[in-house]
Amino acid sequence: MPPPAATIDRFRASLARLAADDDRLVIAVSGGADSMALLALVHTAAPARIVAATVDHRLRPASADEAAMVAAHCAALGVRHAILAPDAPIAGASIQARAREARYALLAGWAREQGAAAILTAHHADDQAETFLMRAARGSGVAGLSGIRARATIAGFPALRPLLGWRRRELREIAIHAQAPFVDDPSNADPRHDRTRIRALLADAPSLDPLALAQSAAALAEAEAALAYVADRLWAERASGDGAILADVAGLPRELRRRLARRAISAARARHALTAPAWSEATNIEPLLDSLEAGARATQGGVMIAPRGDSWAIEKAPPRRSL
């Protein structure tokens, strides 16, 4: 049974803000209530534009049966569907993060083969609220608190989240109304995971409204986009020598200096083909910024930044002296 007309109209409006009317879309369907609701919504709103895929991570004995359940439901709907699986077992530390990387890599590869414009995922307001609180508890800045983006590029491919304004319970009701089969992943109740503990916190604190938290994350995403725009303009105007010199940075707000320093380090590492020491956009650079603010040079990621008046000189760090 298709979702009610008012629900479909609401979904069409959500989707139209993210995708063109003629975009071919891959729906990521795990077999949970959220993704089955997304499938029901897209199948009713834009049936000619969709194909679906399920990633079987092979981390649980039941995962193969769950993927087969999705395949059978898609066949009943007349939706083309593929079951994707990693070539090698997912193992090691941070297994959830590894599984996520493998999932998006598989989905992006298959989406390219299908000539799709984007992947749709069923992330919703409760997911957004949980992510916001998890990152706030870790001391994240503006970028981290922006949470799950409505538009993102993951594994080099566009990913769209049209359900960020929808509650988990709404989507479960849609899946039930559509008579779609679904399963509840037991890992979602595992207290060893941070997200499970945050979910329990939200359930026990009705004053923490997931929609309001999701709205805050959306506002921070807009602020993040504005800061990124300003940082790009500053880099274009003040960087010279392929990023070897940054002029007039000393008086800028710390957040902008933080962004320019990260960009300068990444540019210098690329310029000098540096692969060690380790460096990522998540690396803590606060001590480096403190040193620069005090007028002292500092090294990070194999790159040395030296203050010269109001400017910075950026170069490959000299080799360490052996004792």
Side-chain angles (χ1 to χ4, degrees):
M1 183 179 297
T7 301
I8 293 302
D9 288 344
R10 178 186 171 195
F11 176 75
R12 283 197 178 104
S14 297
L15 186 60
R17 288 191 288 269
L18 300 175
D21 290 343
D22 57 350
D23 280 349
R24 187 169 176 80
L25 304 168
V26 168
I27 309 170
V29 188
S30 67
D34 305 337
S35 62
M36 290 303 244
L38 175 62
L39 176 62
L41 290 166
V42 185
H43 178 254
T44 304
R49 298 166 55 189
I50 61 169
V51 290
T54 301
V55 176
D56 179 4
H57 298 97
R58 299 174 177 169
L59 294 174
R60 296 182 292 109
S63 64
D65 290 340
E66 292 164 8
M69 175 196 74
V70 177
H73 185 62
C74 285
L77 294 176
V79 174
R80 185 180 178 189
H81 176 268
I83 297 175
L84 311 175
D87 294 332
I90 300 170
S94 303
I95 196 164
Q96 286 192 321
R98 291 175 182 268
R100 180 183 184 276
E101 291 174 4
R103 177 166 66 253
Y104 276 105
L106 288 165
L107 288 168
W110 194 72
R112 290 187 182 94
E113 292 175 7
Q114 305 308 305
I119 299 164
L120 294 189
T121 72
H123 292 93
H124 47 70
D126 294 79
D127 291 327
Q128 184 73 290
E130 292 159 11
T131 300
F132 179 87
L133 290 176
M134 287 167 60
R135 294 182 179 177
R138 295 170 187 163
S140 292
V142 176
L145 293 175
S146 299
I148 303 166
R149 310 299 173 85
R151 293 186 184 88
T153 299
I154 306 176
F157 200 80
L160 308 178
R161 284 71 177 253
L163 301 179
L164 288 179
W166 301 56
R167 294 294 309 275
R168 177 182 287 118
R169 62 172 180 266
E170 292 182 272
L171 299 177
R172 193 177 188 92
E173 290 169 1
I174 289 169
I176 292 170
H177 180 84
Q179 299 178 339
F182 60 83
V183 294
D184 292 316
D185 186 341
S187 67
N188 290 334
D190 189 338
R192 293 175 297 177
H193 301 314
D194 290 347
R195 187 174 293 276
T196 304
R197 294 193 292 272
I198 291 293
R199 188 171 298 163
L201 170 67
L202 283 168
D204 291 339
S207 60
L208 290 175
D209 180 7
L211 284 173
L213 293 172
Q215 186 175 357
S216 292
L220 285 163
E222 292 183 358
E224 166 64 18
L227 286 166
Y229 173 81
V230 173
D232 285 346
R233 289 290 299 269
L234 289 170
W235 181 268
E237 294 167 358
R238 304 188 187 191
S240 61
D242 198 20
I245 297 292
L246 264 174
D248 300 324
V249 292
L252 293 172
R254 187 175 176 100
E255 175 62 18
L256 292 174
R257 285 185 282 119
R258 181 181 292 115
R259 290 167 184 261
L260 290 171
R262 289 190 185 283
R263 185 157 181 173
I265 292 167
S266 294
R269 284 173 64 88
R271 190 164 63 249
H272 296 289
L274 298 178
T275 58
W279 162 257
S280 79
E281 286 298 314
T283 300
N284 178 20
I285 65 167
E286 298 313 303
L288 176 138
L289 292 173
D290 291 340
S291 294
L292 294 175
E293 190 170 331
R297 66 187 182 185
T299 299
Q300 188 105 38
V303 175
M304 185 173 70
I305 303 181
R308 292 182 179 173
D310 290 338
S311 301
W312 293 343
I314 303 103
E315 58 190 39
K316 180 180 178 182
R320 291 186 177 182
R321 296 178 181 177
S322 57
L323 298 178

